[in-house]
Amino acid sequence: MQFIVQPSKLRDATVSVPGDKSVSHRALMLGSIAQGSTRISGFLAGEDCQGTLAAMRSLGVRIEQPAATEISINGVGLHGLVEAESELDLGNSGTAIRLLAGLLSGQAFVSALTGDASLTGRPMQRVIAPLQQMGARIDSHDGKPPLTIHGRSPLRCIDYAMPLASAQVKSAVLLAGLYAAGQTNITEPAATRDHTERMLRSMGARVAAAGGRISIDGGQELTGCHIQVPADLSSAAFIMLAALLAEKADILIRNVGVNPTRTGIIDIWQAMGADISLENPRSLGEEPVADVRVRSSKLQGGRVDPALVSLAIDEFPVLFVAAAAASGKTVFSGIGELRVKESDRIATMATGLRALGIDVEESEDGAVVHGGRFTGGSVDSHGDHRVAMSLAVAATVAEGPVTINDVAAVNTSFPGFDECLRALQAEIRVVDDVAT
Ligand code: S3P
């Protein structure tokens, strides 16, 4: 599948983007092991979360999906999961495989987890190490999937100082901690998204968090509830940048999750001169939401604060595009984690931007992007959904048409991305490879 994007004149619009991916995965997992029923509204019906849904069904949970974004789960309780008959295929999703590794480490059965070509190349030692300390035995292929998890019940509680800032690792240990005898403590080197902690609390669990240290007591039963998933700020970010780069546009994106552990992108863009405001702030359960208004702005480059990296971790591809369109140069540092995302995002974005005439210097854990004009051309997403969408946004302000190849992965996180851009009047066409 390809996107073909023409230089576009965007107009004012009010739009919605799909539900938050991180919250949707967690709602499925926690709803499954809660007692009683859990309803999820605003669920992200993208391929990643559908994969988690299928996995939870394979583990014996009755889950209905009466509409694409509505889910109803018959929770089986903390100890109600059963061994799956076959391997669980988590597709492209790092969140699914790492969080499930935690959850399944505490079960008295064996589980096999795998994924697609991208996922089977991603590092899992970061979850294997703490989960093995807790007593699970995990076989991998040199620290990469497929994983075979020999669970243990109960697990041992641990005090774990995470060597890297990762919400996925933190969440895997917290889920395992529910199945440990005693209190599990985790210290994080920098704040990461805290959706797991918030959702555990909304299901009645006690989770303490202060000064970068999170504690959970094992054996706590969760109570099913109604989870309303906010729109995903990480998806909204593409629409926000399209609006910022447009000649004159005023865009409102409704009901977006603005959890402070996710809003690094807003801080970074505002520091670059972006006109972004949060309107009508409110809460959906434990999660803060707002309508996000974005007006076209002149962006200036600068040094991106490395302290914001973990709070904007998925937004660097789109941020590279912002830097390329800004005046002057933008310096990124402390972003080595991007090399082990769905693709090596420093390399894939540098390659994509260079193909559109932008000067990018790369280092092992950083990059310098020199602002310029995008030429037309042909670029590749390398199968990475966020790279595909970032380059499509760049294309709306390019000097000629841009073809973005290999964009099917966009459906993992943002089904309807092209329609959403068209609502702003962007000229984007989706072309099926078979038809070309
Ligand atoms: C996620 C955490 C982040 C992020 C990913 C989703 C989550 O990964 O990149 O897309 O839902 O916990 P890390 O925690 O590994 O940085």
Side-chain angles (χ1 to χ4, degrees):
M1 218 166 92
Q2 297 171 317
F3 288 147
I4 301 179
V5 184
Q6 307 291 330
S8 309
K9 216 173 165 51
L10 300 198
R11 65 161 183 212
D12 299 354
T14 298
V15 296
S16 299
V17 301
D20 189 279
K21 182 152 70 73
S22 295
V23 174
S24 296
H25 280 299
R26 287 160 172 78
L28 285 169
M29 292 181 202
L30 294 183
S32 291
I33 57 163
Q35 287 184 330
S37 59
T38 287
R39 193 177 138 211
I40 312 174
S41 316
F43 176 72
L44 169 62
E47 286 163 9
D48 276 11
C49 298
Q50 290 295 144
T52 295
L53 193 161
M56 298 320 299
R57 280 185 178 149
S58 303
L59 293 163
V61 187
R62 235 180 60 223
I63 307 179
E64 276 144 43
Q65 190 169 21
T69 61
E70 284 290 321
I71 302 281
S72 149
I73 307 176
N74 254 299
V76 295
L78 206 53
H79 297 287
L81 297 178
V82 297
E83 183 163 344
E85 280 170 11
S86 52
E87 197 174 45
L88 305 175
D89 186 344
L90 287 324
N92 195 240
S93 178
T95 304
I97 199 165
R98 296 198 179 110
L99 269 60
L100 276 175
L103 181 58
L104 295 172
S105 285
Q107 313 299 323
F109 55 74
V110 179
S111 307
L113 309 182
T114 191
D116 68 8
S118 156
L119 191 60
T120 50
R122 294 180 65 187
M124 295 297 140
Q125 197 52 39
R126 54 186 63 199
V127 287
I128 294 174
L131 296 172
Q132 296 212 132
Q133 277 182 39
M134 295 178 85
R137 184 158 69 77
I138 303 182
D139 305 325
S140 69
H141 285 225
D142 263 344
K144 294 179 179 162
L147 304 178
T148 305
I149 301 182
H150 303 261
R152 171 187 159 129
S153 179
L155 290 167
R156 285 190 288 271
C157 57
I158 55 169
D159 267 22
Y160 191 61
M162 290 199 300
L164 52 92
S166 165
Q168 293 179 350
V169 176
K170 172 177 64 175
S171 301
V173 177
L174 280 172
L175 291 174
L178 274 179
Y179 292 91
Q183 185 175 74
T184 296
N185 298 295
I186 305 160
T187 335
E188 44 181 2
T192 64
R193 63 191 68 192
D194 64 356
H195 305 299
T196 307
E197 296 90 308
R198 288 174 190 252
M199 201 178 291
L200 282 166
R201 288 191 198 107
S202 55
M203 294 184 148
R206 286 176 319 279
V207 183
R213 184 179 163 89
I214 304 110
S215 308
I216 188 164
D217 286 325
Q220 301 185 67
E221 281 288 352
L222 309 178
T223 308
C225 67
H226 181 199
I227 296 167
Q228 298 178 72
V229 182
D232 199 326
L233 177 59
S234 297
S235 297
F238 302 107
I239 306 303
M240 291 167 72
L241 184 63
L244 288 173
L245 300 189
E247 220 171 277
K248 192 170 180 325
D250 181 334
I251 308 285
L252 188 71
I253 311 168
R254 275 203 234 96
N255 217 29
V256 182
V258 289
N259 178 320
T261 59
R262 295 287 298 278
T263 49
I265 185 65
I266 297 178
D267 298 330
I268 295 168
W269 276 341
Q270 284 174 337
M272 294 174 79
D275 182 350
I276 301 174
S277 48
L278 302 186
E279 299 182 354
N280 190 16
R282 57 204 183 274
S283 290
L284 280 184
E286 293 275 331
E287 292 286 347
V289 298
D291 301 326
V292 178
R293 183 172 297 282
V294 186
R295 296 189 179 93
S296 306
S297 308
K298 292 268 169 283
L299 300 179
Q300 296 118 39
R303 194 168 277 279
V304 174
D305 183 357
L308 293 173
V309 170
S310 62
L311 308 179
I313 189 68
D314 289 338
E315 281 62 78
F316 281 86
V318 76
L319 203 40
F320 270 39
V321 173
S327 56
K329 67 175 184 186
T330 304
V331 180
F332 297 92
S333 56
I335 56 169
E337 265 297 297
L338 297 197
R339 294 209 181 268
V340 290
K341 292 294 180 187
E342 286 83 329
S343 69
D344 173 345
R345 286 180 170 163
I346 300 181
T348 50
M349 283 308 299
T351 310
L353 290 176
R354 283 183 198 126
L356 298 180
I358 301 296
D359 182 9
V360 184
E361 296 157 46
E362 262 185 73
S363 66
E364 196 38 45
D365 72 343
V368 180
V369 178
H370 297 265
R373 296 274 306 161
F374 301 113
T375 61
S378 177
V379 291
D380 205 287
S381 80
H382 300 272
D384 185 326
H385 55 136
R386 299 199 200 280
V387 171
M389 292 186 275
S390 300
L391 294 171
V393 171
T396 62
V397 289
E399 286 165 343
V402 177
T403 301
I404 301 127
N405 297 302
D406 191 14
V407 301
V410 165
N411 288 324
T412 60
S413 68
F414 196 162
F417 166 74
D418 56 303
E419 284 155 51
C420 192
L421 262 192
R422 274 196 294 275
L424 316 182
Q425 207 75 332
E427 290 186 48
I428 173 168
R429 246 174 356 110
V430 182
V431 180
D432 228 321
D433 292 332
V434 190
T436 54

